[in-house]
Amino acid sequence: MIPDKIEVQLSGRTGLVWSHESVVRLRRDHRILGGLVGSGARFPREEPGLPLLLSQQEMHVLLKEDAIRLVFIPRLVLPPSQEIKEKADKYDEDSYQQQIQVFKKEKEANIRSFADRILEGKKKKMMKKLKKQKVDDSEDPEIPELDRDAVIEEEIAKIQPITKDHQILQIFTKDPWLEESDKIEAKLSQPTDPLDKCRLLAFQALWEKGYFIGEGSKFGGDYLVYLGDPLKFHASYIVICQGIDSLEKERPQDLVAKSRLGSQVNKTVLVAQLMKNKDEVTFTSVRRNHAKRQVKYFLTTEEENNEEEYHEDDDTKMNEYKQELHDPDENQIK
């Protein structure tokens, strides 16, 4: 049986997934991670929850695989109608009345479980009161018998309902009044900016090779690339996407900075660059060699045996290599 397409709500340039089952399917079947951006229902301040935010690149890959259905819901970006307001107010009032009953039952159960202590406390109060009223100190006051059931019912009658400001408010994980007729089929436009196009093509190329790809801004890149599920693996690569000829315009110090970045976090830096007049990208790895006393840097493209060694004081060789790297006749993209 072919599973149904996963529904993704389009919100600007990103998508939202509101189903736990869909989040599991995206990760298990499609290697799509996304990011939880909502509040957890049990601990809203401690753990993230639904919805799952999908990037533009993740949605393009899923659309290509025919795995998702994109929808746009105008009602979510417009002021609520009077009908929705009335539904929300009624739901809120019904919830409040239910909580009053639950609170009363809990207090009643509490009173019954501590009935003996309550009865003993009332006897002590009556004893104190009688001692103050007696005239002859030599006579012991008589304590009247207390009806246990009557005392319990009297205490239960004193229970006050919770006030509105103590009401527990529900955090919804999806719109409870959303109907199928509210949804409009949506389309995702292709990126036109060279940098956005590079990000999309780099994501697609790496995803098709079987990697898990996560957001990489916390490591100074566009993506983090994992050999397996991030729950079991650390990231192996940091991907930095650049426009056409951007690597050629970089100073040698910029490449050194990228290699030091990867070296500090024990990852390889991959520079993804968009090719001229082609919807393809090439990847250049930048790594640092600490084996010798003099630090060396290596630039490696996807071609076999295409590796060059660069010393920190050899800017001329680096510039020559960069010129060779960007010659389309000599460097073909895989």
Side-chain angles (χ1 to χ4, degrees):
M1 180 178 177
I2 300 175
D4 295 333
K5 292 183 181 180
I6 296 170
E7 184 177 279
V8 178
Q9 293 182 13
L10 193 62
S11 176
R13 299 179 64 185
T14 57
L16 301 175
V17 179
W18 291 92
S19 165
H20 288 97
E21 293 78 9
S22 298
V23 172
V24 173
R25 281 178 58 191
L26 286 172
R27 193 181 193 104
R28 181 193 62 208
D29 302 337
H30 304 287
R31 291 179 284 107
I32 295 296
L33 304 176
L36 293 171
V37 294
S39 299
R42 295 185 61 189
F43 306 102
R45 296 188 180 182
E46 299 176 14
E47 61 182 24
L50 294 177
L52 181 80
L53 184 71
L54 297 179
S55 68
Q56 197 174 20
Q57 294 78 26
E58 289 171 324
M59 287 190 292
H60 274 292
V61 166
L62 291 169
L63 285 170
K64 188 177 179 181
E65 295 292 310
D66 200 27
I68 62 173
R69 171 194 172 210
L70 272 184
V71 297
F72 176 67
I73 305 174
R75 184 164 68 75
L76 297 182
V77 297
L78 297 174
S81 63
Q82 187 61 33
E83 181 185 1
I84 296 298
K85 288 181 180 179
E86 291 173 358
K87 286 182 178 179
D89 291 340
K90 184 178 183 303
Y91 184 91
D92 181 68
E93 183 61 27
D94 291 345
S95 175
Y96 175 55
Q97 295 301 328
Q98 290 174 10
Q99 289 179 44
I100 289 175
Q101 297 303 319
V102 170
F103 176 78
K104 184 176 180 180
K105 287 181 179 179
E106 288 180 353
K107 291 290 288 184
E108 183 177 337
N110 224 6
I111 289 171
R112 293 188 184 281
S113 63
F114 291 99
D116 293 335
R117 293 188 184 182
I118 294 171
L119 198 65
E120 190 66 28
K122 282 193 171 291
K123 287 181 180 179
K124 288 181 179 179
K125 285 183 180 179
M126 292 179 67
M127 176 74 79
K128 277 187 178 183
K129 189 175 181 180
L130 290 173
K131 280 185 177 180
K132 289 181 180 178
Q133 292 177 352
K134 72 175 184 174
V135 179
D136 188 358
D137 293 335
S138 61
E139 295 180 2
D140 293 329
E142 294 184 5
I143 303 175
E145 289 293 327
L146 294 176
D147 186 347
R148 188 175 186 275
D149 293 336
V151 171
I152 291 174
E153 292 302 323
E154 181 184 352
E155 292 298 316
I156 291 174
K158 293 179 183 178
I159 298 175
Q160 297 294 321
I162 60 172
T163 57
K164 195 75 174 176
D165 56 331
H166 288 110
Q167 177 187 358
I168 299 174
L169 298 177
Q170 181 178 356
I171 299 175
F172 292 105
T173 57
K174 62 179 180 179
D175 190 333
W177 303 291
L178 188 64
E179 298 179 359
E180 195 64 29
S181 58
D182 296 322
K183 303 172 184 177
I184 300 174
E185 295 292 332
K187 293 183 179 180
L188 192 62
S189 59
Q190 292 290 331
T192 56
D193 180 73
L195 186 56
D196 288 338
K197 189 179 291 187
C198 180
R199 290 190 179 115
L200 173 58
L201 294 173
F203 188 97
Q204 287 179 334
L206 293 168
W207 184 84
E208 288 171 358
K209 291 180 184 292
Y211 296 114
F212 282 78
I213 306 170
E215 208 276 331
S217 60
K218 63 182 179 181
F219 283 93
D222 292 284
Y223 305 120
L224 291 177
V225 180
Y226 302 82
L227 301 182
D229 194 308
L231 294 175
K232 300 178 181 179
F233 292 82
H234 288 289
S236 299
Y237 303 99
I238 303 172
V239 179
I240 300 175
C241 298
Q242 297 182 339
I244 300 173
D245 294 337
S246 56
L247 190 62
E248 187 179 47
K249 299 173 183 177
E250 280 193 342
R251 302 176 304 162
Q253 292 91 329
D254 296 327
L255 293 173
V256 172
K258 288 182 174 65
S259 71
R260 282 185 174 273
L261 165 67
S263 177
Q264 289 298 317
V265 294
N266 196 28
K267 304 182 193 316
T268 299
V269 175
L270 293 179
V271 181
Q273 186 173 8
L274 188 65
M275 288 295 292
K276 290 181 180 179
N277 305 320
K278 291 184 179 181
D279 287 340
E280 296 178 353
V281 290
T282 183
F283 293 94
T284 303
S285 65
V286 185
R287 59 189 176 87
R288 197 164 182 254
N289 182 16
H290 295 271
K292 298 181 181 180
R293 297 181 65 183
Q294 183 179 18
V295 178
K296 297 178 182 179
Y297 299 89
F298 296 89
L299 296 177
T300 308
T301 62
E302 292 177 297
E303 296 178 358
E304 294 182 1
N305 302 322
N306 189 9
E307 182 175 280
E308 290 286 337
E309 180 179 310
Y310 166 62
H311 293 260
E312 286 186 316
D313 56 353
D314 191 359
D315 290 351
T316 304
K317 189 166 186 177
M318 173 63 79
N319 291 330
E320 290 176 355
Y321 175 76
K322 284 161 57 178
Q323 182 62 37
E324 179 185 347
L325 177 65
H326 290 83
D327 185 348
D329 295 332
E330 299 184 12
N331 291 276
Q332 301 297 325
I333 308 303
K334 288 188 178 181

